[in-house]
Structures are given as structure tokens and as C-alpha cells.
Amino acid sequence: MPKPVENFLRSCDLTGKKIYPIVTHGGGGFGESVDALKSSTRADVAEPLDIYSSDVPASRQIILEWLKSFRR
């Protein structure tokens, strides 16, 4: 996770909040990003969605369907 993102998350009180991570990558998958996210905040972290970098332009529907899966 980029240091600016990590520093931002550490500076916010996200207790009781939920984070829905979308991880874009060039082939490495999540790597350690999700673990870093969990250790940088007290928020509940949902199972992330991973999108390969070349799929980003066409991923709108995938993201919308993923977000709909979290509706109560």
C-alpha cells in the first residue's frame, strides 16, 4: 500500500466503519495490500475486489455488481 494512503488511514478514526477495497494490479494480485489495510485501520475490511489493470476501463459493471452484493 502506498505510504500516503497508509498515513491517511492511520490518521482517521474509522472505528465501526466498513472499507470496501478495490485492488487494481498488473498481475501481482492483492499482494500484502489487504493485510496492510487491516493493520492500518480499525475498520471492518470487506473481501476485496481485484481487477487486472488492463480490465479497469471495462470494469464498471463488475464493480457495481460487487457493491450490490454487500446490500443488506
Side-chain angles (χ1 to χ4, degrees):
M1 177 169 28
K3 277 292 185 196
V5 174
E6 183 180 351
N7 291 339
F8 170 76
L9 291 171
R10 288 185 188 275
S11 72
C12 297
D13 181 9
L14 299 174
T15 304
K17 304 293 184 195
K18 188 153 188 167
I19 296 174
Y20 300 89
I22 299 172
V23 179
T24 58
H25 60 86
F30 303 133
E32 296 179 15
S33 298
V34 176
D35 291 335
L37 181 60
K38 290 177 180 178
S39 68
S40 297
T41 180
R42 293 183 182 172
D44 181 23
V45 179
E47 187 65 33
L49 172 66
D50 87 296
I51 300 174
Y52 188 73
S53 59
S54 64
D55 295 334
V56 169
S59 62
R60 180 180 174 86
Q61 192 61 38
I62 293 168
I63 294 169
L64 290 173
E65 293 301 318
W66 177 74
L67 289 171
K68 285 179 186 176
S69 74
F70 294 106
R71 287 188 179 165
R72 292 179 189 180

